[in-house]
Amino acid sequence: MTFLRLLSLLVFALAGSVFSTTTALAQVRASLIAEVEHIQPGQPFYAALRLEHQGHWHTYWVNPGTGLATSIEWELPEGFTAGEIEWPAPTVLRDRQGEIIGNGYEGEVLLPVKITPPENLERGSRVTLHAAADWLMCDEVCIPGGAALELVLRVAQPGADNVRLSGWESQIRKAIAELPKLPDEWQVSAVRSGDTITLTVLPTANAGDVSPVRPQWFFAEDNLVGYDLPQQIAPAPDGRGGYILALTVSPEMREESVERLTGVLLAEDSWLADSSLPGLRIDVPLEKAAAASGSLVGMSSSVSSAGLFATAALAFLGGLILNLMPCVFPVLGIKILGFVNQAGSEKRKVVAHGLVFTLGVLLSFWTLAGVLAVLRAGGEQLGWGFQLQSPQFVFGLAVLLLVFAMNLSGAFEFGLGATGLGAGLQTKSGLSGSFFTGVLATVVATPCSAPFLAPALGAALAMPVSESFLIFTAIAIGLSTPYLLLSIFPKAVGVLPRPGAWMETFKQFMAFPLYATVGYLLWVLAGQASENALLLIFFGLVVIALGLWCYGRLQAPGASAGRARAGLLGGAALLACGLWLGWPQAPAPTEVVWEPWSEELVAKYQREGRPIYLDFTARWCATCQTNKKLVFSSGEVLKTFADKNVAALKADWTSKDPKITAALAKYQKSAIPFNLVYLPGEPSPRELPSLLTPGIVLEALKRGGH
């Protein structure tokens, strides 16, 4: 997520109270409260920072995921001590699009802190506790928040044996009772295998009936588990109400050796029958497992207890429903066209095409199962659709589907008939078309998880190899069954409409689901590639489309041999150029890392004595993109940025931003590109010209003796 900070500190209004000071902000209201009004010397009590969030706003837990955790700096009378914040169980924070953005709190939350007064307090006196609270509050933007708070308390009079409770006592005691802990009713253990941690949560013998309990999410205190990575939850195989979770290690911790798993496991309701424990405290040794244990060890045991036959049935049903998934249906629409086009022909050929299509699906799924088995044996932790984690694979699939879509739109013909791939079903080469359609159906099916398919896949990825192949076979048969039945029963083919002029319209209509799938793949790439790489991917696809169009125009019926040859060569050259231009490259280790601009960040780096390169830019600014491509493709510029530890800041003006507009106006600018270089020891930044070269940037960074 992007952090937008205010240009100046907010002014906090303080309102006095006998027991607490409250600060009201538009987004979060903060107050300092205590469970007591009168305290006893040497007797600890609880105070709490109370945060009231407006709708959609949130603050962060001790491990925020993204953002900053709330903090409290105490200024206490002599002899008083304050403990750390005792954090309640957090919730999964999501943006308005449903994406996970961190760990934290919404609504109202109390953050308790134990305060211990000294033994030598004067009876009947008053004491004032001061606290400076800081937090980051976020909705669609993030704003630093803070409050200077105070709490006035009285020391119990001589002869008073007990403290006097406050009006907040019940709420604070309830918050403390609900703090995460591990009660006697539960036992936990954790095993790490590669990049996966298997967390087992089981009821103890005296737990009673805990069947309604179900884990919701695990929050790691030390970022060992990726806060936004998938977590798989399955019932424990013993049937006593326990659970097994497969947790993914965060990328930055994969090389770290961590001995304990610490955090909070949130329940959908409560871990105790009285609904008093939403979060289970996890602090257990992290044991090492054999490399071959796989990423879903517990899930495998659970599924095996349910029976291999039931799992295979789920796999078959899931494969059958895959035909209706949006990532499969467009490709299978091509196959439907093939059956329609050949309706009424020799029945033996119809059956042959159905069998060959099924064989293509089977061999593809067996190949995928074999590859997964080999990679798992080598210690890789893989999930269904893992190939979509590769930008190169996603781009290649987008190119393939773009080719099919333009063929269906009539931009060119493959030469096997108007229906494109697999359309020559009455010819000998049509069998290979049916086989390849089955292969393609498998390729685009793997990213989908239809209903009933997900649990079967979870089992297959953890089962022994032989059982895993059986599950993949069931999925393949389910996927190909409709077409196999259509070919085996000729009467079903006979009721299909006869070929005619309507087919061209239908063929062109079927291109649009393919275009939609290409759009989806580009959306996937947008999350994997940098801005510049994504722009090149778009241009590459345009060049590929141009090559296909040129090929189609010059290969039109009646074209001369020379023109046809020119179309073939020109189309191939443009196709190669588009692939070269758009092919995703791994980022270079010396690539500049850009940070979102803010005035506070500029001031921070100036205090640290770092040079700063500030780029006012926007995606719609072609000159800006050209400048970056030209300047930062220079190895000398990249080396200079690394050697001088230059902070690269980007003020992105793609969307309207009044702060960026104001910053530009300060330099009498109303347009971009605009670039500044801040050098240590120089009070004002140096302005660079609109058109940049590596030499201009290097010269600006060399000035001032740096």
Side-chain angles (χ1 to χ4, degrees), residues 595-615:
E595 297 180 78
W597 164 83
S598 70
E599 293 283 7
E600 291 82 4
L601 203 54
V602 171
K604 173 179 179 290
Y605 287 139
Q606 283 184 308
R607 289 194 300 269
E608 294 175 359
R610 290 180 63 181
I612 303 170
Y613 184 91
L614 174 56
D615 179 21

Side-chain angles (χ1 to χ4, degrees), residues 407-450:
N407 169 251
L408 291 176
S409 294
F412 74 100
E413 300 296 344
F414 280 113
L416 294 177
T419 56
L421 183 65
L425 294 177
Q426 291 135 335
T427 68
K428 192 171 183 179
S429 61
L431 291 174
S432 62
S434 290
F435 178 83
F436 184 73
T437 305
V439 173
L440 181 61
T442 303
V443 171
V444 298
T446 52
C448 292
S449 289

Side-chain angles (χ1 to χ4, degrees), residues 260-423:
R260 299 188 71 84
L261 179 68
T262 58
V264 174
L265 182 57
L266 185 67
E268 291 183 353
D269 183 16
S270 172
W271 291 100
L272 295 178
D274 60 2
S275 301
S276 64
L277 189 62
L280 203 64
R281 173 66 178 165
I282 305 297
D283 187 355
V284 294
L286 190 55
E287 302 174 7
K288 293 183 179 180
S293 62
S295 64
L296 292 173
V297 177
M299 193 171 291
S300 172
S301 300
S302 174
V303 174
S304 63
S305 66
L308 184 60
F309 177 79
T311 307
L314 285 177
F316 173 82
L317 188 56
L320 191 65
I321 297 177
L322 268 181
N323 289 288
L324 303 178
M325 295 295 103
C327 50
V328 180
F329 177 73
V331 173
L332 298 183
I334 301 172
K335 188 63 187 171
I336 294 172
L337 280 174
F339 280 117
V340 171
N341 192 38
Q342 80 98 46
S345 66
E346 186 179 347
K347 302 300 185 291
R348 182 177 57 82
K349 290 185 177 180
V350 180
V351 175
H353 282 289
L355 291 173
V356 169
F357 172 83
T358 302
L359 180 62
V361 174
L362 281 169
L363 289 179
S364 300
F365 269 93
W366 289 340
T367 300
L368 180 60
V371 170
L372 287 172
V374 171
L375 293 176
R376 282 168 51 200
E380 294 286 343
Q381 304 297 323
L382 301 174
W384 187 244
F386 73 94
Q387 63 273 49
L388 284 193
Q389 297 172 358
S390 165
Q392 292 79 14
F393 180 88
V394 177
F395 176 72
L397 187 56
V399 170
L400 185 64
L401 295 182
L402 177 64
V403 171
F404 290 156
M406 293 191 66
N407 169 251
L408 291 176
S409 294
F412 74 100
E413 300 296 344
F414 280 113
L416 294 177
T419 56
L421 183 65

Side-chain angles (χ1 to χ4, degrees), residues 83 127 254 257 265:
V127 294
R254 287 174 181 170
S257 178
L265 182 57

